[in-house]
Amino acid sequence: MTQAMRFADAIELTQNFVTQLGSQQLKPLQISDFVGNLVATAEGARGFFVGYLTNEDSIVDSHHPAVLVGLAANRELVSDLLMKNLAMSTAQELHFQRQSQPAMAANSHLVAQRSQQLIAKLDWPELSELCQKLAQSAAHGDGEYAEFLTRWGYDQEQRQAIQRIMNVVSATTS
């Protein structure tokens, strides 16, 4: 994989990776190397999480230990993206419920659930700290993540849902 990894390519590679993971075609070192190489860049990491967290294969729910090893290759970027994935999918679930789109709400719920489980499995102190900071921004409308919340146009109810889930996650991690 190259440094010029495109987002769409990373999604496609991840989808193929999950298929191989499900059929047990990969050795742990191949798994951790693949994930580590993909999360080395922002576009690769973003594409990995889209392809991984939204995949229909239930193998993703087990969060293979070698996937966790690979994610540790870029803890700062992975922490930021995972925390934001949890926030965004939590807010989107509420949005789709309001729009009477149960299938889309269920997809958002699945991504939120997988993100939360992955955060718990990683159990990194820096990830817990980021979740606390986002919870503070959601609660008070200022702080490090106020611009992120404003940019995505989250309303008060969505911010409260984000605050709740971030508080749960930060209380159950390091």
Side-chain angles (χ1 to χ4, degrees), residues 95-130:
H95 168 77
F96 289 128
Q97 287 170 347
R98 292 174 183 164
Q99 300 299 315
S100 298
Q101 296 181 30
M104 296 298 288
N107 289 340
S108 293
H109 178 78
L110 179 63
V111 171
Q113 185 178 29
R114 285 179 171 170
S115 298
Q116 186 176 359
Q117 291 167 349
L118 196 50
I119 290 168
K121 285 213 180 234
L122 291 171
D123 197 28
W124 297 339
E126 60 266 42
L127 193 42
S128 177
E129 183 179 320
L130 290 178

Side-chain angles (χ1 to χ4, degrees), residues 112-157:
Q113 185 178 29
R114 285 179 171 170
S115 298
Q116 186 176 359
Q117 291 167 349
L118 196 50
I119 290 168
K121 285 213 180 234
L122 291 171
D123 197 28
W124 297 339
E126 60 266 42
L127 193 42
S128 177
E129 183 179 320
L130 290 178
C131 290
Q132 290 171 358
K133 288 179 180 180
L134 182 53
Q136 289 291 328
S137 291
H140 304 294
D142 59 6
E144 192 169 330
Y145 291 100
E147 191 274 327
F148 165 77
L149 296 166
T150 300
R151 178 172 16 117
W152 289 103
Y154 297 135
D155 63 30
Q156 191 59 36
E157 188 178 10

